[in-house]
Amino acid sequence: MTLLMADNLLKESPLLVALDKNRTVYDGFISVQEKDFRLRISLPPDHQLKRAKLHCCWQLKQLLKNYQDIVKQRLHHSSDLVSFILELRTILELALKSQPGWQSIPPPQYYSQLITEIEDLGWDKLLFIDTNFQSLQLKAEDSSGRQHSITVKLKSKYPGEAPECSADLPVPLVITWTSQSTLAHIHSQFLLIVEALAEFWAVLDEIDEHTWVLEPEKPTRADSMRRIAIGNNVSIKLEIDPRHPKMLPECCLLGAEHVVTPLRNKLNANMHLWNPDCSVLQNMKDVMEIEFPSPATHEKSSFSVECGICYAYRLDSAIPDQVCNDPRCGQPFHQACLYEWLRGLPTSRQSFNLVFGECPYCSKVMTNLFTEYSIYHSAFSFLKSLFYFRCFKKCPKK
């Protein structure tokens, strides 16, 4: 090996040194992504790489387990030891990236800059930071006093590479980023976004405070749907538009047809009375000509009627939303339970995505509109073995 080549090898791998005067045995470490791996390279007297032997530490052997053929090929085709070491480092980088949980270690200036940015933003706005200093949560408070948080996952090349940001919002989170951006820029943009949604959350806060919300059980800031109790086994599902929260929301009435039909007729007839200057809740009362039960006047247990098949109120996250249309019956069921029940009856029939069969309680013909969503519940295997026993026991006619 020439002196020039030896100097190049020293520059590329300063931790790999020759053990003899003829430079046929090299021992030391190869550094990749801030990690050092022990290896020894033994060359023949003519320094031909194709007859060289590579001895690796056990960590390096594990990394190169799936790349042995490539390493052998590079040994045979590399012009000299320097070029082989460069190619070996490239192979190791690929191998490291394929490892589960791999993360490249940021340079020291990454940490000093991050600390400076947090100090500029204010430590009081930092909710959490992990031990690797690569994932953190920032808090923000809107003008109405609501608390919000944004999760920021930093890349090893931060700020040259944009971080991943996520938050509990009903709209996509869009953060603009340049190589000069900082955590303060993320925080200020996040504040503008939550302020723009303040009216949306005010609408939902009023609904949550003054009505009995059946679904979702524990609403998050991202939830734009509310299923509100109207009466026993009757409810309405509202989908509030985050961008236009005061406008008429999408409405879906749930319950027996003889109860739901008059309400639907009033909603259609009075839709023109909707006043964007009034609250959504007040508009719903005026348009439907009803008063919603509230926590001040009713107990929630009045509307938490169990399913007539599985005897439970909640099945996973679903509550009973199918009701027998016979006014003398009115028994509620989970959509998934009713689908399984009707599908198991020999007298039931199916037309496209509609199943027709008898109510388990009164024998009145019922229909069940099923979708992929309505039949995927994890409780099905349990229900299929259990509800037949319960229904036989509870329904003498069966």
Side-chain angles (χ1 to χ4, degrees), residues 206-221:
E206 183 188 21
I207 292 174
D208 293 341
E209 183 180 353
H210 297 290
T211 68
W212 277 121
V213 175
L214 304 179
E215 290 182 294
E217 184 180 11
K218 296 178 181 178
T220 66
R221 294 292 185 200

Side-chain angles (χ1 to χ4, degrees), residues 17-56:
V17 296
L19 298 183
D20 61 343
K21 291 182 180 180
N22 295 325
R23 296 186 174 88
T24 58
V25 180
Y26 285 82
D27 198 306
F29 298 87
I30 181 171
S31 300
V32 182
Q33 297 294 347
E34 304 294 331
K35 298 178 185 291
D36 296 327
F37 300 97
R38 182 74 180 269
L39 82 160
R40 173 177 287 199
I41 301 174
S42 300
L43 300 171
D46 58 2
H47 293 87
Q48 292 295 314
L49 282 176
K50 61 184 177 181
R51 291 191 289 117
K53 292 182 179 180
L54 185 64
H55 306 276
C56 307

Side-chain angles (χ1 to χ4, degrees), residues 83-150:
S83 59
F84 171 71
I85 292 297
L86 289 172
E87 296 202 52
L88 180 60
R89 186 177 286 118
T90 301
I91 295 170
L92 285 172
E93 286 177 353
L94 290 172
L96 279 171
K97 288 180 180 180
S98 66
Q99 293 292 304
W102 173 86
Q103 281 187 329
S104 58
I105 300 175
Q109 58 267 30
Y110 165 93
Y111 299 97
S112 58
Q113 179 173 342
L114 183 58
I115 295 298
T116 301
E117 290 186 15
I118 294 175
E119 288 177 345
D120 292 341
L121 177 63
W123 287 96
D124 59 315
K125 294 182 175 63
L126 182 68
L127 281 176
F128 164 82
I129 187 166
D130 69 350
T131 54
N132 295 322
F133 280 64
Q134 292 190 317
S135 179
L136 52 91
Q137 281 185 323
L138 305 177
K139 69 176 180 179
E141 183 177 310
D142 64 25
S143 56
S144 299
R146 300 183 191 88
Q147 297 294 326
H148 308 273
S149 68
I150 180 171

Side-chain angles (χ1 to χ4, degrees), residues 351-386:
S351 175
F352 297 102
N353 60 341
L354 281 173
V355 178
F356 301 84
E358 296 180 352
C359 170
Y361 283 73
C362 68
S363 297
K364 183 178 176 62
V365 174
M366 294 188 68
T367 61
N368 182 236
L369 175 66
F370 68 90
T371 62
E372 290 297 323
Y373 173 80
S374 69
I375 60 176
Y376 87 103
H377 293 284
S378 61
F380 273 10
S381 58
F382 169 75
L383 287 173
K384 289 177 76 172
S385 62
L386 179 64

